[in-house]
Amino acid sequence: MAPHTGDGPGADRSAPAPRRPRRGGAGRLRDALRTTPALIVVGGAVLVAALAATAAVAVQSRASATTLGERSAETAVRTSTTAREIYRGLADADVAASAVFLLPPTEDRRASLVGAYDAAVHEVERRLTDSMGDAVDDPDRLRRLATIAARLTVYRDVVCAALRVAGPLPALPGAENRRPCAPAEETAETGTDNAAARAVLASAYAREASHYMSTELLTEAQGLWNYDTRRLIDARADARPWLAASVLVPLGTLAALVVTQVWLRRRTRRRLNAGLLLASAGTTAVLAMLVASWWHWPAADRGFPELERAIDAQSATQQRLGALLAGRADVYLGLGASVDPAGHKADFDRRDLCVHPAAGPEPPKDRIDCTALEAAVWPARQSRTPDAFRDAVDTVLSEGSAGRAFVAAEEHLLADLTARNQEVSRMVADLPEAPHHRGAAAAWVTLLAAAGVVAGLRQRYLEYQ
């Protein structure tokens, strides 16, 4: 009997099953990554990275969280008050220095004006020194203070040159043998014995000093004040991303831990992993600590819009006061032996300090009645009347009608500024105090959670190995 070969009738002639093609390197890698040990390693790496991000957020969010509290806000208001006092002291010094050059060197009132200038400058220097000591942890503010101090030195040198040119430097009232400037060879600086020529040269120095004060010193001082008062407002915007990260990142990490725990239990058919349970408990504690660190923020955020408006109004009043003091210096310099009195008048007019004719029966108290200035002061240098210049000087100094108007407007602006300061201080006091930030402790707990993840997943990995 012949053997059956499968070639006869009725035989099954179906083709043999095709060979499965050999998988390449990429295919084998995908297969390897789908294994439980590989997935355990990948999951562990993701969890450790998430816990590292949680720790970073916990530590880095500290500055933004604490800046919004009442304690830090009070510090910001205190530093801004110092900046405002520096600004006003500089403006007062400029007014006093400009007034000195209205009077001849032999005038008795000149010594008191020189003394007022010297006192204002020394007060600014004292506040700058104190502020630098308080700003050791704020490099940006320290740099601004150092810039003001350097420019104040330049200003004093120019004013001293003007004082030496104008005539002998008087001794300061109440200060025995103390003078506002270091001694110098006055005759070598003036180069002339003509009193009128010395007056013009001294006024040119004074104009240069006042211009430097307006364009450099006061601008930098206003920038310091704006920097201090805007820090809280800027902190509000900076804090929002950190607040979101402080809640969402730990929540995301906790969700990843739960998902990994559920997957591992189903994949290995084992009970819950102790290491992942420890990490989940630690991440929950971190979330609670960060929420506690930001607990004050919603109330602070609600109070910030009103505080921002109050700070803006405070800044506007500050700038108005600076314009008034600079305008008073313009009047002094324009009336003095200036080489450009029309330029001083133009500077004064640009500051918009005069009461407008349509102001009504109760004109704004932060403006002055410029009638005396227009009628008697600005034209005094061109007047042929013998006593016109002397009368104009008496009009603009503190005892005169124009001088009293400047003083009244300054007092009104100072009272307004004080009221706005009190309003800002009240709003700051209403802010909730920032609690102790627990970011450092949260980072340590996160490190413990990462150790739990590594230990728990390593145990499962070794079982599969």
Side-chain angles (χ1 to χ4, degrees):
M1 182 176 180
H4 175 68
T5 61
D7 294 330
D12 184 5
R13 297 178 178 273
S14 59
R19 277 188 173 183
R20 178 176 297 177
R22 181 174 295 179
R23 299 177 66 87
R28 286 197 297 270
L29 178 61
R30 283 195 296 269
D31 289 341
L33 290 177
R34 291 194 184 101
T35 63
T36 299
L39 291 174
I40 289 175
V41 172
V42 172
V46 171
L47 290 178
V48 170
L51 288 167
T54 303
V57 167
V59 173
Q60 295 297 323
S61 64
R62 179 183 181 278
S64 296
T66 55
T67 301
L68 292 171
E70 184 269 339
R71 183 174 58 249
S72 297
E74 185 178 2
T75 301
V77 170
R78 184 172 66 251
T79 56
S80 68
T81 299
T82 302
R84 185 176 61 254
E85 291 170 346
I86 290 173
Y87 181 93
R88 189 195 168 200
L90 291 171
D92 283 341
D94 189 43
V95 169
S98 303
V100 170
F101 302 102
L102 288 174
L103 302 172
T106 56
E107 176 76 39
D108 293 338
R109 289 179 292 178
R110 187 170 182 265
S112 63
L113 292 175
V114 173
Y117 157 75
D118 184 73
V121 169
H122 276 284
E123 179 64 18
V124 171
E125 290 176 334
R126 184 185 69 80
R127 292 194 179 278
L128 283 171
T129 302
D130 294 343
S131 298
M132 287 181 180
D134 295 336
V136 291
D137 296 330
D138 189 345
D140 193 15
R141 190 170 197 271
L142 187 61
R143 177 187 60 78
R144 292 172 181 271
L145 289 167
T147 300
I148 293 174
R151 292 180 179 178
L152 179 60
T153 300
V154 175
Y155 173 80
R156 288 199 68 179
D157 289 343
V158 178
V159 172
C160 283
L163 290 174
R164 294 189 190 103
V165 168
L169 296 176
L172 298 177
E176 209 172 305
N177 296 326
R178 188 164 74 86
R179 296 182 181 275
C181 302
E185 294 293 334
E186 296 171 9
T187 55
E189 287 196 26
T190 60
T192 178
D193 292 330
N194 185 281
R198 288 201 308 269
V200 172
L201 185 57
S203 185
Y205 273 116
R207 175 180 172 81
E208 181 65 25
S210 186
H211 178 74
Y212 185 81
M213 172 68 78
S214 298
T215 58
E216 300 289 340
L217 257 172
L218 289 182
T219 300
E220 191 66 32
Q222 182 68 36
L224 173 67
W225 191 80
N226 290 338
Y227 168 77
D228 286 337
T229 55
R230 298 295 301 184
R231 279 190 303 174
L232 286 175
I233 298 169
D234 293 340
R236 183 189 180 202
D238 294 340
R240 285 173 173 165
W242 285 114
L243 172 61
S246 297
V247 175
L248 296 180
V249 172
L251 279 176
T253 303
L254 186 59
L257 284 166
V258 171
V259 169
T260 304
Q261 180 76 272
V262 172
W263 170 83
L264 192 63
R265 184 173 182 275
R266 290 178 178 175
R267 187 86 172 201
T268 62
R269 300 183 183 277
R270 300 291 183 89
R271 59 182 177 273
L272 296 178
N273 186 280
L276 293 181
L277 282 176
L278 174 64
S280 299
T283 304
T284 302
V286 168
L287 177 61
M289 284 189 283
L290 291 180
V291 168
S293 300
W294 285 89
W295 192 255
H296 66 293
W297 198 86
D301 188 53
R302 287 193 298 271
F304 260 56
E306 283 296 324
L307 178 60
E308 183 175 3
R309 284 191 285 271
I311 288 176
D312 287 341
Q314 190 185 41
S315 180
T317 304
Q318 169 79 17
Q319 293 174 5
R320 187 68 182 165
L321 177 61
L324 178 74
L325 294 173
R328 191 174 186 182
D330 290 333
V331 173
Y332 290 163
L333 292 173
L335 183 59
S338 173
V339 294
D340 186 18
H344 293 300
K345 185 178 186 306
D347 291 340
F348 177 84
D349 291 339
R350 278 195 296 270
R351 304 188 196 280
D352 190 25
L353 299 174
C354 298
V355 176
H356 297 300
E362 294 186 6
K365 294 182 180 180
D366 61 342
R367 296 176 181 271
I368 62 171
D369 185 354
C370 296
T371 304
L373 295 179
E374 295 293 342
V377 175
W378 294 119
R381 288 182 57 187
Q382 290 77 35
S383 176
R384 296 182 180 276
T385 305
D387 295 330
F389 181 78
R390 170 60 63 179
D391 292 342
V393 170
D394 293 338
T395 299
V396 299
L397 290 179
S398 298
E399 301 80 9
S401 59
R404 291 195 301 270
F406 275 108
V407 170
E410 181 181 358
E411 290 176 349
H412 171 76
L413 286 171
L414 286 173
D416 189 20
L417 191 58
T418 300
R420 296 191 184 281
N421 294 343
Q422 292 172 348
E423 182 182 14
V424 170
S425 298
R426 177 185 58 77
M427 291 181 178
V428 168
D430 290 340
L431 292 175
E433 185 172 355
H436 176 69
H437 195 267
R438 296 172 174 82
W444 283 108
V445 174
T446 305
L447 180 63
L448 179 62
V453 167
V454 172
L457 293 182
R458 181 176 180 273
Q459 178 187 2
R460 291 290 185 266
Y461 180 81
L462 292 178
E463 290 173 357
Y464 273 87
Q465 288 295 95

